[in-house]
Amino acid sequence: MATHPLVALRTATGPSQAAYARLIARTHAELGHGQMAARREKVSRWESGRIAPEFTAQLAMARIHQVDEGIVLRLGWPQWLMAATGDDDLLHQPWSPQGAVAVSRLTAAAAGEPGTALIATGSCLTAQIRGALAALTGGARPPERDGPRIAPEALAWAEQRILALERLETGSPVPQHALYLAARTEHRLISDLLTSHGYDRATGTRLLLLCARTATLCTWTSHVAGDEAWTERYNLAAIRAAHAAGAPHHTVAYLTQLCYRHLRRGDPRDALALLRAARAIVPRPTPRLAVKLHARQSVVSARLAERTAGLRALDRAEHALAAASPQWDPEADPTSGNINEDYLDFSRGHTWLRLGQPARALSCFSDLLGDRASPDRPPSPYDPVQLCPAVEAQLDAGRIDEAAATIRRAIDRTGGFLPGLANRFRRYLAPHADHPDVRELLERLAERPPVHAAPDRGEQHP
């Protein structure tokens, strides 16, 4: 489930729930709002999302985190917390080419600690979706800018480098942190070209699409490291840039990626809203994109305990795959190079897992759990991420030894996980800490793998 933004904000500032409750109560009194009980249980209920703090308590929290009262009034709970995390500017840019350029600049220039919380949920995500759909009818023109012109060969070289990175993302032995550094470097470069050079509308459109592609590269690599906040920031930047470039299939491809984030960590109703937006933007998707949309729908339905709808969506995904061309066209289906029977098996397994049938899920994950190494397929930094639902299914089915062995093989093949992914597997294993194999594995997951550059954030889109 999703980590509430308040959890990320509180833990970033340091205090425990009890200490945070005392701090809020003290600030509440200092603001002249009277005494309030400083109970840890209050903070726990707020962070669960079950209840919202009373308004005066929110004002005390806003004072602690240096957020203006006007922002609290304008955005409401919990959206105003985004202002405290620095995401307010990103989330409230206009849905225009100029807004897309601003978001590109923010994601390229910003740096911060990894975060486990999604940054746009509920009404905040709804506002993002409405902005995108409203902009469809706005007729915004691609940007143009005065300044020193970009040499055509420089842009061609950038396109070749980005294409090479996209190929590496789909499977290579290159360490994940190295891929992330390369992707982020390209994203910064394209953002710099958009904000400091001159170009006509055709070149501006080309730059925006490249910006969307580099943001997507950063999305994948951030996801591998378990950094949900940066994954979503990059994902939103990709959606805005593709939208501003007038590339509806790219926009929908990136919306389905965002849908996956909310399926895994958030509210399935948010994921459903994203799917509806994707279908509104591209009512007649290509067969490959249709596979992805139906596969996402199957897991949404499973999360909502709608078994019949979930299985029907899987049937539609199978029919769409049968109609898909074996030749992948990245212009029409920019993130669908992995659409095949393995992808469909993954989706079937994920659906059965969310329907509460881990044994059936494991029957779909059999190839994923086998030895996938071959001379034609080198070990990929993304393999462990795809194992997550399979490990969940093994644990839910009571196959603790098998789950531990699966994680151990993945560590041996990759040389170790970055902290975010390691912590994710530790959360899966924590309820089984009394098991001898699990105790040893938890200690191993607490170790940090050796890297030759600063550890960064990063995932492959399933």
Side-chain angles (χ1 to χ4, degrees):
M1 294 297 292
T3 302
H4 195 279
L6 181 58
V7 179
L9 190 58
R10 175 182 59 79
T11 55
T13 54
S16 65
Q17 288 182 333
Y20 193 58
R22 291 193 295 271
L23 178 59
I24 293 171
R26 185 168 64 251
T27 308
H28 190 271
E30 290 171 355
L31 289 173
H33 297 310
Q35 300 297 318
M36 66 176 290
R39 294 199 303 270
R40 181 197 64 79
E41 292 78 9
K42 272 191 171 185
V43 178
S44 178
R45 288 196 296 271
W46 298 339
E47 292 182 349
S48 73
R50 293 194 298 270
I51 64 170
E54 55 269 32
F55 184 66
T56 54
Q58 291 185 45
L59 292 180
M61 295 160 65
R63 170 64 66 88
I64 292 167
H65 298 293
Q66 300 180 339
V67 175
D68 186 77
E69 181 178 336
I71 293 177
V72 178
L73 287 166
R74 176 167 58 88
L75 299 181
W77 178 268
Q79 282 68 44
W80 71 258
L81 296 173
M82 302 305 110
T85 61
D87 289 311
D88 185 54
D89 283 348
L90 183 149
L91 291 170
H92 293 92
Q93 290 294 329
W95 278 86
S96 65
Q98 292 73 25
V101 172
V103 169
S104 166
R105 184 175 65 250
L106 288 166
T107 52
E113 293 299 315
T116 57
L118 297 167
I119 70 167
T121 60
S123 60
C124 182
L125 181 65
T126 299
Q128 293 292 302
I129 294 170
R130 285 176 178 165
L133 294 177
L136 282 174
T137 59
R141 291 159 53 166
E144 56 183 331
R145 192 175 188 279
D146 293 331
R149 295 287 159 167
I150 303 165
E153 59 270 22
L155 205 52
W157 293 334
E159 288 175 332
Q160 290 303 310
R161 290 194 306 271
I162 292 166
L163 180 60
L165 278 175
E166 288 169 337
R167 288 171 176 162
L168 288 174
E169 293 283 356
T170 61
S172 80
V174 177
Q176 176 274 325
H177 64 272
L179 286 176
Y180 176 79
L181 287 172
R184 186 160 171 79
T185 298
E186 294 297 337
H187 187 56
R188 283 175 173 166
L189 172 63
I190 299 302
S191 178
D192 181 64
L193 293 176
L194 275 166
T195 55
S196 63
H197 286 66
Y199 42 82
D200 58 20
R201 286 177 188 154
T203 303
T205 300
R206 191 175 172 189
L207 284 169
L208 281 170
L209 194 51
L210 289 176
C211 179
R213 290 167 61 185
T214 56
T216 300
L217 289 167
C218 294
T219 297
W220 293 345
T221 49
S222 294
H223 176 55
V224 165
D227 187 346
E228 298 299 334
W230 274 101
T231 297
E232 191 164 26
R233 289 179 186 118
Y234 287 127
N235 205 161
L236 288 167
I239 291 167
R240 282 178 172 269
H243 191 283
H249 283 85
H250 285 73
T251 304
V252 169
Y254 305 146
L255 276 170
T256 63
Q257 290 181 328
L258 189 59
C259 173
Y260 178 73
R261 319 273 166 243
H262 287 264
L263 272 178
R264 193 173 65 80
R265 300 280 299 177
D267 189 327
R269 291 168 296 184
D270 285 347
L272 187 60
L274 288 164
L275 280 177
R276 287 172 176 159
R279 293 192 173 104
I281 294 170
V282 179
R284 294 181 179 81
T286 65
R288 283 175 176 268
L289 183 54
V291 172
K292 188 163 280 192
L293 291 169
H294 292 317
R296 295 285 189 263
Q297 181 68 58
S298 70
V299 183
V300 170
S301 298
R303 286 281 312 275
L304 295 170
E306 297 172 351
R307 175 189 169 111
T308 300
L311 297 182
R312 283 177 180 165
L314 282 177
D315 286 342
R316 289 192 290 270
E318 291 174 7
H319 287 120
L321 181 62
S325 168
Q327 297 297 109
W328 173 46
D329 178 2
E331 289 300 318
D333 296 297
T335 63
S336 299
N338 64 335
I339 297 298
N340 53 27
E341 281 294 338
D342 288 343
Y343 178 89
L344 211 50
D345 279 341
F346 182 93
S347 300
R348 291 187 189 103
H350 206 173
T351 299
W352 284 117
L353 176 63
R354 300 310 168 202
L355 286 171
Q357 298 197 32
R360 293 198 69 164
L362 285 172
S363 69
C364 302
F365 292 142
S366 57
D367 287 344
L368 182 65
L369 290 166
D371 186 359
R372 305 177 82 194
S374 73
D376 298 327
R377 189 186 186 281
S380 166
Y382 303 114
D383 287 346
V385 176
Q386 292 187 306
L387 285 173
C388 287
V391 168
E392 282 189 78
Q394 288 174 321
L395 292 171
D396 288 354
R399 303 182 186 182
I400 301 171
D401 292 338
E402 293 179 19
T406 297
I407 298 171
R408 195 174 293 110
R409 281 197 305 272
I411 295 174
D412 291 341
R413 279 176 56 76
T414 61
F417 302 152
L418 290 179
L421 184 58
N423 289 338
R424 185 171 170 186
F425 281 115
R426 289 174 70 189
R427 288 194 297 272
Y428 292 158
L429 293 171
H432 311 282
D434 292 339
H435 192 284
D437 282 351
V438 171
R439 279 201 302 272
E440 176 272 330
L441 189 53
L442 285 171
E443 293 175 3
R444 191 172 178 188
L445 286 168
E447 300 171 357
R448 293 295 179 255
V451 296
H452 302 292
D456 294 293
R457 305 170 283 278
E459 153 184 308
Q460 176 190 22
H461 59 297

